[in-house]
């Protein structure tokens, strides 16, 4: 993750993450996808002063789809506290991170990488846990309700 | 009467009052920055035609003979690398062939093949692996992940960085 400070070439005195602006071809590097299967993939778009990492999470059925959607929305609404999270995911993916050179200057690079990897590992676990909890609660509710009959 | 005719000679119709090209304001819609000489041009001096892709029949025959290493080397040597947007058709055909070869090799042969490739070929192979990830099909990603790990062990981080920064896409 080599990010350098780079002032905007288009507008004077501005400093924008080039991967978001996409104004000059020479500042963007090849976007790379790493996929485990058709459902799970990670898109990495590097540029000279910023990286965008987009994750597509495995969603096997409707419940997981809803849970994932709500969970991601919860986190993206609090994106300011996450610092590197992007408020809207890139088209086709579930969640996106935007890391700029300012972040790498303030935080350890290897810690940022560890965070993203840890995030990817935990997400699947958390969603399955939530799904189990939802099913358990639904079962309890149904049992209590049907005891009347 | 003569004065009026003289006045009529002096006054001209409005279109010809000023220079003709400022009458319409179309010039405001032109993007002048594209004509700037400093602009980055992706393909500095590429008049030579990229190498013609390898014939599919040769690859199939090599694969049927079990000679995956040679098939792969042939494909890598003639890979149509060019900047983004150029020669897409040849690139796609080459990609399909390379993926076919990569997916048919089994694990034991992979190490052997990788050790017989040189640095530039490893880089091109890594580029193809990443392009293969973009189109996951049944079970392909798992094999590509194994390929990726082995090529990374052989090529190191530099191999991946070269894939990211090279403007000539495969």
């Amino acid at each position: 993750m080599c990010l350098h400070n780079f002032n905007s070439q288009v507008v004077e005195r501005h400093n924008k993450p080039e991967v978001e602006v996409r104004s000059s071809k020479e500042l963007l590097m090849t976007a790379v996808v790493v996929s485990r299967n058709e459902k799970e993939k990670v898109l990495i778009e590097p540029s000279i002063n910023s990286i965008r990492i987009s994750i597509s999470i495995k969603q096997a059925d409707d419940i997981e789809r809803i849970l994932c959607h709500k969970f991601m929305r919860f986190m993206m609404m609090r994106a300011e506290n996450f610092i590197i999270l992007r408020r809207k995911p890139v088209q086709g993916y579930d969640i996106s991170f935007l890391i700029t050179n300012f972040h790498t200057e303030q935080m350890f690079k290897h810690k940022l990488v560890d965070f993203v990897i840890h995030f990817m590992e935990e997400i699947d676990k958390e969603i399955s846990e939530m799904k189990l909890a939802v099913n358990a609660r639904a079962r309890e509710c149904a049992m209590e309700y049907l005891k009347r009959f | 009467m003569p004065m009026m005719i003289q006045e009529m000679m002096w006054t001209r119709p409005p279109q010809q009052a000023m220079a003709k090209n400022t009458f319409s304001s179309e010039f405001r819609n032109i993007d002048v920055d594209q004509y700037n000489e400093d602009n980055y041009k992706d393909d500095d001096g590429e008049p030579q035609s990229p190498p013609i892709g390898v014939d599919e029949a040769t690859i199939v025959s090599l694969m049927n003979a079990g000679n995956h290493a040679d098939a792969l080397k042939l494909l890598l040597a003639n890979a149509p690398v060019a900047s983004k947007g150029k020669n897409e058709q040849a690139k796609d055909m080459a990609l399909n062939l390379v993926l076919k070869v990569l997916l048919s090799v089994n694990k034991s042969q992979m190490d052997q093949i990788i050790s017989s490739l040189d640095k530039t070929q490893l880089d091109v192979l890594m580029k193809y692996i990443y392009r293969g990830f973009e189109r996951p099909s049944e079970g392909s990603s798992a094999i590509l992940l194994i390929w990726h790990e082995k090529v990374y062990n052989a090529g190191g981080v530099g191999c991946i960085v070269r894939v990211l920064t090279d403007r000539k896409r495969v």
Side-chain angles (χ1 to χ4, degrees):
Chain A
M1 206 195 297
C2 288
L3 303 174
H4 289 284
N5 194 7
F6 195 86
N7 287 319
S8 168
Q9 287 183 157
V10 177
V11 185
E12 234 179 66
R13 288 169 166 254
H14 275 205
N15 197 320
K16 309 180 197 184
E18 291 299 331
V19 80
E20 296 285 347
V21 179
R22 308 204 90 101
S23 51
S24 321
K25 272 184 308 186
E26 70 270 22
L27 304 173
L28 305 171
M29 300 200 276
T30 319
V32 145
V33 178
V34 184
S35 61
R36 199 194 276 173
N37 48 52
E38 287 107 7
K39 299 279 164 52
E40 301 178 64
K41 47 190 161 103
V42 175
L43 171 70
I44 304 177
E45 299 166 280
S47 77
I48 186 162
N49 62 359
S50 42
I51 291 186
R52 192 161 62 185
I53 302 169
S54 312
I55 307 176
S56 172
I57 303 172
K58 177 170 74 156
Q59 294 150 51
D61 56 7
D62 279 335
I63 285 206
E64 279 189 18
R65 235 191 303 272
I66 300 175
L67 280 173
C68 177
H69 178 73
K70 293 223 172 283
F71 192 23
M72 295 301 127
R73 235 189 91 220
F74 176 85
M75 287 199 284
M76 286 192 273
M77 284 208 287
R78 290 150 183 80
E80 274 183 25
N81 292 335
F82 271 98
I83 309 180
I84 57 174
L85 199 62
R86 197 171 181 260
R87 275 189 184 272
K88 282 247 175 303
V90 169
Q91 188 81 331
Y93 293 85
D94 295 315
I95 192 164
S96 297
F97 292 97
L98 176 68
I99 304 179
T100 61
N101 58 294
F102 299 110
H103 298 147
T104 45
E105 282 162 19
Q106 288 175 339
M107 304 187 261
F108 286 132
K109 275 191 246 185
H110 59 276
K111 290 279 180 197
L112 280 173
V113 173
D114 285 342
F115 172 75
V116 178
I117 296 179
H118 183 74
F119 180 90
M120 288 200 287
E121 288 168 0
E122 290 296 316
I123 261 297
D124 283 331
K125 262 188 258 175
E126 298 226 352
I127 293 198
S128 342
E129 265 176 47
M130 284 197 280
K131 182 174 167 188
L132 285 174
V134 164
N135 283 336
R137 274 210 300 265
R139 203 173 332 128
E140 286 296 317
C141 286
M143 272 206 312
E144 283 300 319
Y145 182 67
L146 292 173
K147 272 190 191 158
R148 298 226 184 155
F149 302 101
Chain B
M1 272 308 255
M3 283 304 282
M4 275 165 64
I5 297 177
Q6 256 190 343
E7 272 175 8
M8 274 166 66
M9 276 170 58
W10 281 114
T11 59
R12 287 154 172 240
Q15 275 99 320
Q16 289 169 5
M18 292 199 283
K20 198 156 183 186
N21 61 0
T22 54
F23 178 59
S24 85
S25 58
E26 278 304 312
F27 67 91
R28 295 187 192 277
N29 296 339
I30 314 174
D31 172 26
V32 251
D33 282 332
Q34 79 194 80
Y35 299 116
N36 188 3
E37 296 105 22
D38 279 341
N39 270 357
Y40 177 81
K41 287 183 195 37
D42 228 347
D43 45 348
D44 293 310
E46 261 194 51
Q48 85 274 30
S49 57
I52 307 167
V54 184
D55 187 27
E56 185 167 349
T58 12
I59 300 295
V60 173
S61 58
L62 278 173
M63 272 171 54
N64 289 337
N67 198 350
H68 297 281
D70 277 345
L72 194 60
K73 274 194 231 181
L74 204 55
L75 279 170
L76 291 180
N78 291 338
V81 284
S83 2
K84 185 171 181 183
K86 299 201 192 299
N87 214 7
E88 288 294 329
Q89 222 182 358
K91 284 191 214 171
D92 284 337
M93 290 195 312
L95 176 65
N96 288 333
L97 287 175
V98 174
L99 282 179
K100 233 192 285 191
V101 177
L102 286 181
L103 296 177
S104 55
V105 174
N106 47 358
K107 278 191 232 181
S108 45
Q109 293 177 315
M110 278 188 207
D111 284 317
Q112 215 183 5
I113 300 183
I114 291 181
S115 50
S116 68
L117 294 173
D118 71 348
K119 269 207 168 187
T120 27
Q121 287 173 324
L122 271 179
D123 288 343
V124 182
L125 178 58
M126 195 56 126
K127 285 188 198 172
Y128 272 120
I129 293 177
Y130 275 119
R131 279 215 71 189
F133 273 132
E134 286 170 26
R135 309 190 199 167
S137 62
E138 191 56 53
S140 72
S141 294
I143 307 187
L144 282 176
L145 276 172
I146 305 176
W147 268 109
H148 183 279
E149 192 192 335
K150 293 194 188 280
V151 178
Y152 170 64
N153 287 336
V157 184
C159 190
I160 301 185
V161 176
R162 279 188 285 272
V163 172
L164 287 176
T165 50
D166 198 358
R167 292 223 71 91
K168 298 197 185 323
R169 314 270 171 89
V170 92

